[in-house]
């Protein structure tokens, strides 16, 4: 598919849109429908489309495996880290109230960070799964 | 020689029994020479019976190994 | 302050360590992190157990949401006991793992290995600690998914198939559990176990409740590897890396049995699950068949790991027999055997791990004269084996003793006969190994010499524990009794 | 502090430490262990008992009273003598297992409850089998396995009996198990099983054959250990649990009688000793069955002296086997030239076991016989009298005669090694000393006794008559050629039932089934073979049930189980 100009051009046009939509779902999640999980999948779709059209090697050079690994771990760490932070600040695990100056501010920040962690991890895992399957037949 | 010694010892014992008479708990114990006879006959019988038994029960040494 | 947060830390610490492991990725560093983390969970679970012993069950809520709405952890004696088993075994086996894993798994994959190990630990601890039915399912999935990865890393190519089959079966089991939990939720509108226990009696006489019960029991039975749903287990244990076999054999099915106990006794209540439903007899029959059949199969195995795996299936039979008596004595025998079986299987699989490290095989034929080539390792195996048979002064005897007492109390003679025959069959399969190892021809050219201390010491430690808990039973029996009492008393 | 240490534990723990010693010192270590342990036992004050809570049961791992003490002493003495005898052995496994065997036998004697007893009971079985395996021959291996199966079977019976007994009476204490009436008919099933377990170890008739089967296969030194502990432990257990049980009198008389016929024709001299052992156990069992204080004293005294002289006989035959490599009567003879000391010691043992006055057997057996007379058991007395002549025949005459005298086999060998001679000499001195001065032995007996074996001179004379005339009969038989010649052969015993008959029946059944098959009904013949094939097919390494199953069929099982449980739950 690498040599099909229509696909290449369309992909180049819609990939940024997909990514932006992913970010929207991510960050709008605490006000409207959405959230880290969905956003992560949508975000990953952009990369997967890139891999489908331009080849997995191109995708691999865009996001090397060690980076993916770090991102997966980082997202999870962010999530757990928030929980640990609340613990350290003297409250229960994931009791966000203590994070901000006001309880609602704390809730806001806490959910924002936790969802970000989820989104990052999910998208990185999705890309890894795609690479894992797509890479099977590579020499 | 040993056989003769054995026989004389046996005879001596029978004589001794008459001198030191044993207190009898069972009636037969007062019969003179009872234990002597008993010992002789028992062993004789044991060997004879054992011999008979042997005819029925003896097997080659590797009987179980076959 | 920190004391109040222990329940969260119990799960959070390994959960935090897992991504760290992925970041570190170097074999030694990740191994060290795993050991430290396991040790930390061991410390926490010990503290939790003493806390529970001192001042009764502990409640913990997440994010400040009160119990029926948020996720709540509830730790009583039963799960404190299971937490202790899991964390202790993980600590001992992870110390053992370094050289064993180094020998069996490529360096580039070891980072993933330890990450999966920590996730699996997180999942197992989570199942044990949580008081929320759905949360239990989530942790079950975490532990299962990571154990598929762990098993697939075995050297043998068959490890992949074994892991795949386990994946299919495990997923079906998990799905069943999810369906069961879903049905209960539909019926009662709550996922909190304590809450469920309160609301279920009112609606227990509905088809939904019974269907939920059926899905839950069958799903968990699959996870326990109860006969005839054990088919995934022998290969999974046989082809997994040595350390994984030891870890999973000693913990995974134990935790699943715990989940069964929790649902039967705490959520549904024993009068519903074991008296209204004909489950007690079902468990008795399947347990007996498991003991007999699996022990018989074990006798004919050439691969010792597979033999032990079948023996595990038989031991699970004993565990379910204990439940089927529906008595405090029977239940404490089961809980006690959870602990003791973890000790003996741990010791046996670690001994096999040492042997695999030295001679690269678990085939019976390669054990010729091993009693002289690796005397300490075979000593550990022997003690583990004796414990498995149930020779007095070993831990195994204690649990068999209580099981027998429970059967006598109930007057179930056939079950008693099954237990005795099972022990005799265990004598046979352990004897096969001992015979080859001690009385077999000594192969001069075969590799000989002990495994390194870092592998041997954990194995010896577990062997000693088998003897220690065969003589000093205050901890194991005492807690098991109290835990059984608590379960019978409801949540 | 010293008092809280259970007797026997020093030896058990020490045995584990033996391999740590340099190779050459292990035998010495094995000798030192029972000596240290004996010192500890002597320091133990009387009537100590230790109670512990274990797994919710109250156990009494140590109970020291007069009955256990005397067995404790003699077990220690026997262990010291046997260890001295075994100084030349360089096989560590043999030393360790022998000490385990000794330690557990001693522990068992001081066990105050049935669980502890069972524990030690099993260890004696498991450890002693290595003394048989240590011969390292195919035959000894097989005999060892048979021995192990029977001994462990006895343990299983014991455990089952204990469990039932516990269920019945709620106590695990090991005291008198039989009712005051001494009737087994009134006993519960649990007590019956315990009785049977003891009976197997005590080699009751028809349960006896493991003894004659296994002991002759043991090593030279192993047989010396074996002869002392297992069966005497059973005697102790019977004396403790079943004194005055009527059935024991009959059983004992049969035990004294039937082995003597076998002993006449047996060619393996160590096997002759085993039959003789069985016969001697009969005397003790009779004593326990009578159950009066004097009878129990007699049984215990008999066990005490018997351990010594039977050990001595096994040592002398062991020395012969060690030097000549054979123990067949048909191959031996005339060894008194080569082994004069061994010959002398053997004769001391032979005269002791035959109960010549002034030898140890006499002072013990007289007690039992007096008890029989006291209770006026006429037929028992007659039976024991015949048995006494039998003892004279097989142990008093046959053993020394065929090994050391008789027809000269032409074998010339060295005298037994020094340590063996020392061990035999010490034992012989003990046999004679006890015969001369029975006072100290009598003082140790469980019940006080004022018995004087030599008070009635007539008794000594009649006993001498019995023995010497028996010897005379032997001499006459040999002179006239009526005595059956020793031939290389073995004698069938009840082991034939399971070594030959059972397999032959199995074979016979299979072949008749074969015939049936040939005449058209082919199904049955292959049942046996099919069964095995079926078992292998299903349970074997690659059998149906052991195979890696396709995922689909696993899932099928899930579906079946779910369906079944749904149906069951809905019903």
């Amino acid at each position: 598919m690498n040599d099909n100009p229509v696909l290449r051009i369309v992909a180049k046009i819609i990939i940024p849109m997909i990514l932006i939509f992913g970010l929207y779902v991510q960050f709008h999640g605490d006000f409207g429908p959405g959230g880290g999980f969905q956003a992560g999948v949508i975000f990953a779709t952009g990369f997967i489309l890139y891999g489908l059209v331009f080849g997995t090697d191109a995708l691999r050079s865009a996001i090397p495996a060690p980076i993916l690994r770090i991102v997966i771990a980082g997202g999870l760490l962010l999530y757990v880290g928030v929980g640990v932070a609340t613990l350290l600040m003297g409250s229960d695990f994931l009791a966000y109230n203590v994070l901000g100056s006001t309880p609602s501010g704390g809730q806001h920040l806490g959910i924002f960070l936790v969802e970000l962690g989820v989104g990052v991890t999910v998208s990185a895992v999705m890309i890894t799964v795609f690479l894992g399957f797509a890479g099977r037949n590579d020499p | 020689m040993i056989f003769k010694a054995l026989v004389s010892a046996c005879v001596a014992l029978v004589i001794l029994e008459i001198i030191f008479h044993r207190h009898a708990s069972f009636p037969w114990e007062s019969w003179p020479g009872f234990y002597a006879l008993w010992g002789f006959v028992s062993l004789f019988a044991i060997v004879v019976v054992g011999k008979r038994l042997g005819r029925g029960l003896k097997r080659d040494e590797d009987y179980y190994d076959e | 302050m920190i004391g109040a947060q222990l329940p969260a830390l119990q799960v959070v610490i390994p959960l935090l360590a897992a991504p760290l492991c992925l970041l570190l990725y170097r074999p030694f560093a990740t191994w060290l992190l795993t050991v430290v983390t396991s040790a930390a969970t061991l410390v926490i679970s010990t503290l939790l157990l003493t806390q529970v012993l001192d001042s009764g069950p502990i409640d913990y809520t997440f994010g400040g949401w009160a119990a029926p709405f948020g996720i709540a952890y509830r730790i009583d004696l039963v799960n404190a006991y299971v937490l202790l088993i899991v964390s202790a075994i993980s600590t001992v086996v992870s110390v053992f793992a370094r050289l064993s894993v180094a020998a069996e798994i490529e360096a580039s994959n070891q980072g993933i290995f330890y990450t999966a190990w920590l996730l699996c630990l997180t999942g197992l601890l989570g199942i044990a600690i949580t008081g929320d039915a759905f949360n239990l399912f989530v942790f079950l999935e975490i532990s299962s998914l990571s154990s598929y990865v762990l098993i697939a890393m075995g050297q043998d190519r068959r490890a992949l198939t074994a892991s795949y089959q386990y994946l299919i079966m495990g997923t079906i089991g998990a799905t069943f559990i999810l369906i069961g939990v879903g049905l209960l939720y539909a019926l009662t509108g709550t996922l909190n176990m304590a809450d469920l226990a309160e609301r279920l009696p009112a609606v227990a006489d509905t088809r939904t409740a019974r269907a939920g019960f059926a899905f839950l029991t069958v799903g968990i039975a699959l996870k326990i590897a109860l006969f005839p749903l054990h088919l995934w287990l022998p290969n999974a244990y046989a082809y997994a890396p040595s350390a994984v076999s030891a870890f999973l054999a000693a913990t995974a099915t134990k935790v699943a049995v715990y989940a069964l106990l929790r649902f039967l006794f705490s959520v549904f209540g024993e009068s519903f699950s074991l008296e209204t439903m004909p489950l007690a007899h079902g468990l008795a029959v399947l347990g007996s068949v498991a003991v007999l059949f699996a022990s018989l199969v074990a006798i004919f195995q050439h691969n010792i790991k597979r033999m032990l795996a079948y023996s595990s299936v038989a031991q699970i039979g004993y565990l379910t027999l204990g439940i089927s008596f529906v008595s405090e004595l029977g239940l404490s025998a089961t809980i006690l055997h959870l602990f003791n079986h973890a000790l003996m299987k741990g010791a046996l699989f670690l001994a096999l791990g040492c042997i695999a490290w030295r001679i690269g095989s678990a085939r019976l034929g390669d054990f010729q004269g091993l009693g002289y080539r690796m005397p300490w390792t075979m000593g550990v195996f022997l003690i583990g084996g004796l414990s498995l048979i149930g020779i007095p002064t070993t831990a195994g005897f204690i649990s068999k003793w209580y099981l027998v007492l429970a059967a006598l109390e109930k007057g179930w003679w056939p079950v008693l006969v099954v237990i005795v025959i099972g022990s005799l069959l265990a004598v046979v399969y352990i004897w096969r190994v001992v015979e080859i190892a001690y009385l077999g021809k000594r192969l001069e050219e075969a590799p000989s010499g002990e495994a390194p201390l870092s592998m041997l010491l954990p194995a010896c430690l577990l062997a000693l524990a088998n003897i220690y808990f065969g003589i000093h039973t205050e901890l194991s029996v005492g807690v098991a009794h109290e835990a059984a009492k608590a379960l019978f008393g409801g949540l | 502090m010293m008092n809280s240490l259970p007797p026997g534990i020093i030896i058990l723990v020490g045995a584990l430490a033996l391999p740590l010693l340099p190779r050459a010192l292990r035998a010495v270590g094995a000798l030192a262990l029972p000596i240290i342990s004996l010192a500890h036992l002597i320091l133990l004050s009387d009537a100590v008992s230790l109670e512990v809570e274990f797994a919710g049961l109250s156990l009494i791992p140590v109970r020291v009273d007069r009955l256990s003490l005397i067995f404790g002493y003699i077990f220690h003495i026997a262990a010291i003598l046997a260890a001295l005898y075994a100084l030349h052995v360089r096989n560590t496994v043999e030393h360790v297992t022998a000490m385990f065997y000794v330690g557990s036998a001693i522990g068992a004697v001081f066990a105050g409850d049935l669980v502890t007893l069972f524990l030690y009971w099993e260890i004696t079985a498991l450890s002693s089998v290595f003394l048989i395996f240590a011969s390292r021959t195919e035959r000894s291996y097989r005999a060892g396995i048979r021995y192990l199966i029977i001994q462990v079977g006895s343990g299983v019976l014991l455990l089952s009996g204990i469990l039932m007994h516990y269920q019945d009476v709620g106590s695990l204490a090991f005291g008198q198990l039989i009712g005051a009436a001494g009737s087994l008919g009134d006993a519960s099933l649990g007590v019956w099983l315990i009785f049977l377990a003891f009976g197997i170890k005590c080699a009751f008739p028809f349960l006896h054959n493991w003894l004659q089967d296994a002991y002759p296969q043991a090593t030279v030194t192993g047989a010396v250990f074996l002869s002392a502990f297992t069966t005497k432990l059973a005697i102790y257990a019977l004396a403790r649990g079943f004194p005055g049980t009527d059935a024991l009198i009959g059983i004992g008389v049969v035990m004294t009688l039937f082995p003597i016929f076998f002993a006449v024709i047996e060619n393996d001299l160590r096997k002759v000793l085993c039959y003789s052992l069985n016969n001697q156990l009969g005397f003790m069992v009779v004593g326990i069955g009578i159950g009066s204080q004097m009878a129990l004293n007699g049984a215990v005294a008999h066990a005490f002296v018997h351990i010594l002289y039977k050990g001595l006989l096994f040592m002398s035959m062991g020395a012969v086997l060690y030097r000549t490599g054979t123990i067949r009567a048909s191959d031996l003879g005339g060894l008194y030239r080569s082994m004069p000391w061994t010959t002398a010691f053997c004769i001391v043992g032979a005269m002791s076991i035959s109960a010549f006055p002034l030898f140890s057997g006499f002072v013990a057996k007289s007690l039992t016989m007096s008890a029989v007379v006291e209770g006026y058991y006429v037929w028992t007395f007659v039976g024991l009298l015949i048995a006494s002549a039998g003892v004279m025949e097989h142990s008093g005459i046959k053993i020394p005669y065929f090994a050391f005298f008789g027809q000269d086999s032409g074998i010339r060998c060295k005298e037994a090694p020094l340590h063996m001679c020392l061990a035999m000499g010490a034992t012989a001195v003990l046999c004679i000393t006890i015969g001369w001065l029975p006072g100290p032995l009598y003082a140790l007996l469980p019940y006080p006794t004022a018995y004087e074996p030599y008070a009635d001179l007539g008794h000594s004379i009649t006993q001498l008559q019995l023995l010497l005339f028996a010897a005379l009969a032997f001499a006459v038989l040999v002179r006239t050629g009526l005595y059956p010649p020793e031939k290389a052969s073995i004698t069938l015993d009840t082991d034939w039932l399971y070594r030959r008959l059972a397999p032959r029946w199995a074979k016979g059944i299979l072949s008749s089934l074969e015939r049936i098959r040939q005449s058209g009904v082919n199904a049955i013949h292959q049942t046996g073979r099919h069964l095995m094939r079926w078992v292998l097919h299903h349970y074997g390494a690659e059998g149906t049930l052991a195979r890696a199953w396709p995922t689909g069929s696993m899932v099928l099982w899930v579906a079946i189980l779910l369906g079944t449980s749904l149906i069951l739950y809905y019903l």
Side-chain angles (χ1 to χ4, degrees), chain B residues 5-15 36, chain D residues 464-465 468-472:
Chain B
L6 189 59
V7 173
S8 33
C10 290
V11 173
L13 276 170
V14 176
I15 298 167
Chain D
L464 270 177
Q465 275 186 358
L468 285 187
F469 273 88
L472 186 66

Side-chain angles (χ1 to χ4, degrees), chain B residues 13 17 20 22 25-26 35-36 38 40 42-43 46 50-51 54 57-61 63-66, chain D residues 139 265 328 373 385-386 389 457 459 462 465-466 468-470 473 482 489-490 492 496 499-500 504:
Chain B
L13 276 170
E17 189 200 354
F20 297 94
R22 186 184 180 183
S25 310
F26 294 107
Y35 278 97
W38 183 270
F40 193 89
S42 295
L43 192 134
I46 288 168
K51 215 170 145 182
L57 293 181
K58 286 259 201 187
R59 290 291 185 278
D60 236 26
E61 275 194 318
Y63 176 72
Y64 287 121
D65 300 335
E66 287 161 15
Chain D
R139 259 185 208 185
I265 48 177
R328 293 193 198 92
V373 171
L385 269 191
I386 299 177
L457 196 55
H459 175 45
T462 48
Q465 275 186 358
L466 181 83
L468 285 187
F469 273 88
L482 280 173
S489 64
I490 56 165
L492 303 184
W496 182 79
R499 291 173 73 180
R500 247 313 149 78
R504 195 183 284 169

Side-chain angles (χ1 to χ4, degrees), chain A residues 85-98:
Chain A
T86 60
L87 273 184
L88 292 178
M89 292 164 84
S91 184
D92 286 354
F93 189 72
L94 287 183
Y96 307 128
N97 292 9
V98 289

Side-chain angles (χ1 to χ4, degrees), chain C residues 31-42:
Chain C
W31 167 76
L32 194 64
L33 185 63
T34 309
V35 172
V36 172
T37 311
S38 300
T41 58
L42 176 59

Side-chain angles (χ1 to χ4, degrees), chain D residues 140-214:
Chain D
S140 70
Y141 176 72
R142 290 173 162 217
I145 293 289
R146 287 194 294 270
Y147 171 83
L148 192 63
I149 290 173
I150 293 174
Q151 296 292 320
V152 170
S154 142
V156 171
L157 285 178
L158 180 60
L159 184 61
S160 329
I162 291 172
L163 282 171
M164 289 186 205
H165 182 64
Y166 179 55
Q167 202 69 13
D168 286 344
V169 303
S171 155
L172 284 171
F174 180 32
Q176 183 159 349
L177 297 169
I178 192 84
S183 157
L184 269 181
D186 307 336
S188 66
L189 181 59
V191 171
W192 260 96
L193 286 179
I194 297 176
F195 184 72
L196 200 60
F198 289 174
I200 291 176
K201 252 199 171 145
C202 195
F204 281 3
F206 298 108
L207 305 175
H208 66 284
N209 201 251
W210 59 268
L211 176 69
Q212 288 84 349
D213 184 19

Side-chain angles (χ1 to χ4, degrees), chain D residues 16 43 75 127 138 191 219 253 306 372 402 407 463 542 565:
Chain D
L16 283 179
L43 288 176
F75 278 4
S127 52
E138 178 68 22
V191 171
T219 58
V253 172
H306 174 255
V372 174
F402 283 105
Q407 208 171 8
Q463 174 72 8
E542 289 303 320
S565 41

Side-chain angles (χ1 to χ4, degrees), chain D residues 9 33-34 47-48 60 87 94 131 156 196 207 287 290 296 333 345 358 368 372 380 391 393 466 524 541 556 558:
Chain D
I9 210 82
L33 282 177
V48 178
I60 313 164
L87 267 185
E94 231 182 307
L131 299 173
V156 171
L196 200 60
L207 305 175
I290 292 174
L296 285 174
F345 296 138
L358 298 183
T368 314
V372 174
T380 309
V391 180
E393 200 287 322
L466 181 83
I524 309 170
L556 184 67
V558 181

Side-chain angles (χ1 to χ4, degrees), chain B residues 19-34:
Chain B
I19 304 169
F20 297 94
H21 195 74
R22 186 184 180 183
H23 162 74
S25 310
F26 294 107
W28 59 73
E29 290 195 303
S30 49
W31 307 344
F34 167 76

